[in-house]
Amino acid sequence: MSEQRDFWLSCGHHLLDRDATGKLLVTDEFLKVYLARPELVPPPEACAAERKLHDTLLNDPRSFVVSSQVAAIADADARENWEVMIRWRDHLVKHRTLEAAYLEIIRHNIRFPQLLVGQLTQVILRNALNDCGDVFVLRAAEMFFRPQKLAMQEGLVTVIDVETETLLGRQPRSPLIALLGLPVASEVAMLDDATAASYWERSDRFDMALDLTAGQRGLVALGDVVRRWLSHLLAIDVAIEPLSEIHNAPLSWYVGLDSEATRIGDTLWNGSDLDRKRESRLVGLFRLTFRDPEDMIEKFEASRYTCWRR
């Protein structure tokens, strides 16, 4: 366990307020960060309508925008970017908290660009993990909002940030990284006891690989992230633990995180053993236990299982 320090500065959590329950409240400063994105900063050749809209929102990021203001923008790509941005801003500000805005998106399958949803997920996770001093949990949480790639390396199952691996040394996408002068990734390192202390200073680089091999700390950390996420968003208290083996697991209900994982769950549900090929693709099997049975949708048994495959 490491000493708790600040992390994920680029998500903008320091620009937000909190209510009495610890949930995040949108501020003008947070909204203005979106206006610094390259998709929205008017280029030198931008028309007067685009420049006026950008200036108006810089002065008052909650200013009401009518459709004709966006329609007057000459560049088609810019119009599309502004349409998305205004819709996103309106969604955030109409909810009491960012957590409520997120839940509305998930529950009603509201379509927004994954980039924006990922950024929202990150800042909510930053809030939920504010008291967390375990960098293995923080690294596991990155899997919630950044695409990852699984790889076999010397018999280990490791997860690596896709964008970091692809764009090592290139310019960061988040405007806050540049504004805060945060360093960019130059290499990918394995997170272990020897490198754990360095996570704090490099958390915004997303340049540390995580070991998800059965029996190691990565899967335990991932379960802890899910536990904290459910507690923060839904006030549900659960215990989540990775299982070291899958034989005779008494499934009463399960969630597969994609179609292949669901087929693995179906096989186990029907009491069959996995063949070697499918077993080799199983990264983790977790047992979820509701501490309060009243939180369960179906009160047959307090244990639930989640499959995750590679």
Side-chain angles (χ1 to χ4, degrees):
M1 183 74 69
S2 301
E3 177 187 355
Q4 198 277 334
R5 295 163 54 187
D6 206 354
F7 59 98
W8 300 350
L9 297 177
S10 62
C11 72
H13 69 95
H14 52 292
L15 301 176
L16 293 160
D17 291 332
R18 277 97 181 140
D19 67 9
T21 68
K23 299 298 192 296
L24 297 170
L25 302 174
V26 177
T27 63
D28 288 356
E29 291 75 17
F30 183 78
L31 293 175
K32 287 181 180 180
V33 171
Y34 289 107
L35 302 175
R37 292 198 59 84
E39 298 91 339
L40 295 178
V41 174
E45 66 275 14
C47 67
E50 184 178 356
R51 291 181 178 278
K52 182 178 180 180
L53 179 57
H54 191 263
D55 289 343
T56 297
L57 291 176
L58 276 178
N59 182 60
D60 178 10
R62 299 174 192 258
S63 178
F64 182 72
V65 177
V66 297
S67 58
S68 59
Q69 290 176 269
V70 178
I73 296 175
D75 185 81
D77 290 337
R79 284 199 305 273
E80 182 178 0
N81 290 339
W82 279 106
E83 287 170 355
V84 171
M85 178 57 209
I86 297 304
R87 180 168 169 257
W88 177 254
R89 182 212 57 177
D90 290 347
H91 179 80
L92 296 185
V93 301
K94 80 175 182 179
H95 290 86
R96 193 178 66 81
T97 66
L98 287 185
E99 285 84 352
Y102 172 85
L103 287 173
E104 183 78 4
I105 292 170
I106 300 305
R107 287 168 172 164
H108 296 280
N109 196 27
I110 302 175
R111 298 294 182 179
F112 285 113
Q114 186 55 46
L115 174 65
L116 297 177
V117 177
Q119 291 173 342
L120 179 61
T121 303
Q122 181 185 7
V123 77
I124 294 173
L125 268 171
R126 176 60 184 78
N127 192 35
L129 297 170
N130 189 57
D131 63 349
C132 180
D134 188 338
V135 298
F136 287 85
V137 173
L138 303 183
R139 174 56 184 90
E142 294 175 16
M143 299 168 64
F144 279 51
F145 57 87
R146 290 183 65 89
Q148 308 286 314
K149 183 179 79 172
L150 285 168
M152 295 295 297
Q153 181 178 346
E154 298 179 356
L156 303 179
V157 180
T158 59
V159 63
I160 303 170
D161 188 275
V162 170
E163 184 176 339
T164 296
E165 185 187 46
T166 305
L167 303 177
L168 281 177
R170 298 188 186 179
Q171 291 299 313
R173 300 181 67 182
S174 169
L176 275 177
I177 289 182
L179 289 173
L180 295 172
L182 299 173
V184 297
S186 59
E187 62 179 354
V188 175
M190 177 65 71
L191 178 62
D192 54 27
D193 289 336
T195 62
S198 70
Y199 181 86
W200 301 107
E201 65 186 45
R202 63 198 296 172
S203 69
D204 285 282
R205 305 181 205 175
F206 305 108
D207 62 352
M208 302 196 83
L210 182 65
D211 183 0
L212 293 180
T213 307
Q216 300 302 312
R217 296 172 65 176
L219 290 179
V220 175
L222 181 57
D224 194 36
V225 178
V226 177
R227 177 187 66 81
R228 291 169 179 264
W229 184 245
L230 292 175
S231 176
H232 183 76
L233 282 178
L234 303 176
I236 294 177
D237 189 12
V238 300
I240 299 177
E241 58 180 319
L243 301 182
S244 58
E245 58 183 30
I246 58 176
H247 301 295
N248 300 318
L251 272 69
S252 56
W253 183 86
Y254 63 91
V255 173
L257 300 187
D258 66 4
S259 59
E260 177 63 19
T262 298
R263 284 191 286 271
I264 290 174
D266 290 342
T267 300
L268 297 175
W269 172 274
N270 292 320
S272 302
D273 292 329
L274 299 177
D275 56 40
R276 288 188 176 182
K277 181 179 180 180
R278 280 194 172 178
E279 189 167 0
S280 68
R281 294 177 60 80
L282 184 64
V283 174
L285 179 68
F286 296 82
R287 176 166 54 211
L288 183 152
T289 302
F290 290 91
R291 298 189 186 277
D292 182 356
E294 293 299 319
D295 290 330
M296 296 168 54
I297 297 175
E298 297 179 7
K299 301 175 184 177
F300 295 114
E301 184 180 18
S303 293
R304 299 294 184 259
Y305 295 84
T306 297
C307 300
W308 189 46
R309 63 95 181 174
R310 64 169 177 267

